[in-house]
Amino acid sequence: MLISLLSVFLFCSQQNILTVKAHDHKEIEAKHVHLHISDQEINDLIKKGYTKRDIFKAYFIAKHAKEKLDVETILKVYKQKQSWEETAKYFKVDIEKIKKEHFEKHKQFYKKNKTQIIQYLATYTGKSPKELDTYLKDVDLHFLVVAAAISKKSNTDLNQIIQYKKEGKHLKEIISIEKLDPKSVFNEAKNIHKGIYRAIKK
């Protein structure tokens, strides 16, 4: 759930959930076991001319399709249609429904584990749990996690990142203002989530 949630929330537009960022090849085996992707499969597809990003998008469709699909079959259809949205429709994969399901799982996870998440973020940011709670009057807990990542990567006080949000700035805009690489923010937020999951499991 961790990788899929971060993919959805950090790098998916409101219109298209399939803008998932592909990871470096060395991370594939460890980070995407939930998609049953092996290095060998990806290497074979890359040799046939497909990009890692397109391979992951095709796997995403395969994972959510009702029938068992071969990834290369999905890639061939995409090559014809030149649209991931149309490719998903062709295989009867409802992107909007999947997006809503991801959002709901995400909300439930944060609601259930709010106290532990706040405590982890307090240690991570150096802010008190009480101060972090005050931020939740203006932003949701998910944004607070991402804001903490931006704050860490940019050496900007967390309060300033929250202020950007209060001013109506979007996540991509905030990342741009702080002159950060979106991928670096993604990776930092991913590390925070991994830490949160470890803390919750204890």
Side-chain angles (χ1 to χ4, degrees):
M1 185 174 73
L2 169 60
I3 300 301
S4 59
L5 286 175
L6 284 172
S7 298
V8 169
F9 284 88
L10 291 180
F11 295 100
C12 294
S13 70
Q14 292 181 349
Q15 290 76 31
N16 189 353
I17 200 173
L18 290 173
T19 54
V20 178
K21 277 189 174 289
H23 296 281
D24 293 336
H25 186 60
K26 62 184 179 182
E27 298 180 347
I28 288 170
E29 188 71 38
K31 306 302 182 184
H32 292 277
V33 290
H34 68 293
L35 291 182
H36 308 292
I37 297 173
S38 70
D39 286 340
Q40 185 61 52
E41 287 177 278
I42 291 179
N43 278 330
D44 290 344
L45 290 168
I46 288 173
K47 287 176 183 177
K48 292 179 180 180
Y50 299 110
T51 66
K52 281 185 283 186
R53 175 174 292 191
D54 286 347
I55 292 167
F56 278 103
K57 290 177 180 179
Y59 266 102
F60 183 92
I61 291 174
K63 181 185 177 185
H64 292 93
K66 292 181 180 179
E67 59 181 306
K68 186 174 181 180
L69 294 171
D70 176 75
V71 173
E72 189 170 4
T73 298
I74 297 171
L75 287 166
K76 287 178 179 178
V77 171
Y78 169 71
K79 195 172 182 179
Q80 294 173 349
K81 294 185 175 295
Q82 292 297 304
S83 165
W84 282 112
E85 198 169 86
E86 290 302 314
T87 301
K89 287 180 181 178
Y90 180 86
F91 291 108
K92 299 179 181 179
V93 173
D94 189 335
I95 298 301
E96 287 303 313
K97 181 181 178 182
I98 294 167
K99 182 164 67 173
K100 288 176 182 177
E101 288 174 354
H102 275 289
F103 271 74
E104 187 56 36
K105 287 180 182 178
H106 181 82
K107 284 168 60 179
Q108 291 302 317
F109 173 78
Y110 277 112
K111 184 178 180 180
K112 180 180 178 181
N113 300 288
K114 177 184 174 183
T115 300
Q116 289 166 291
I117 294 171
I118 288 292
Q119 187 57 56
Y120 183 89
L121 289 177
T123 302
Y124 179 86
T125 63
K127 303 286 185 181
S128 69
K130 185 176 180 180
E131 187 173 0
L132 293 176
D133 269 324
T134 65
Y135 292 144
L136 295 180
K137 296 176 183 178
D138 301 298
V139 301
D140 62 24
L141 194 49
H142 166 72
F143 183 85
L144 190 57
V145 170
V146 182
I150 295 172
S151 174
K152 177 75 74 175
K153 297 299 292 184
S154 64
N155 284 322
T156 301
D157 190 89
L158 181 60
N159 187 59
Q160 180 59 60
I161 307 303
I162 301 300
Q163 184 59 38
Y164 288 142
K165 182 67 173 176
K166 288 170 67 176
E167 292 169 1
K169 292 181 173 62
H170 297 295
L171 181 59
K172 288 183 180 179
E173 188 177 1
I174 295 170
I175 292 172
S176 177
I177 290 171
E178 292 299 326
K179 299 178 180 179
L180 295 173
D181 177 2
K183 185 177 179 180
S184 73
V185 176
F186 174 86
N187 288 333
E188 189 64 28
K190 183 173 65 177
N191 287 335
I192 294 174
H193 271 266
K194 285 166 67 177
I196 289 170
Y197 273 73
R198 284 195 296 267
I200 290 171
K201 287 180 178 180
K202 288 181 180 179

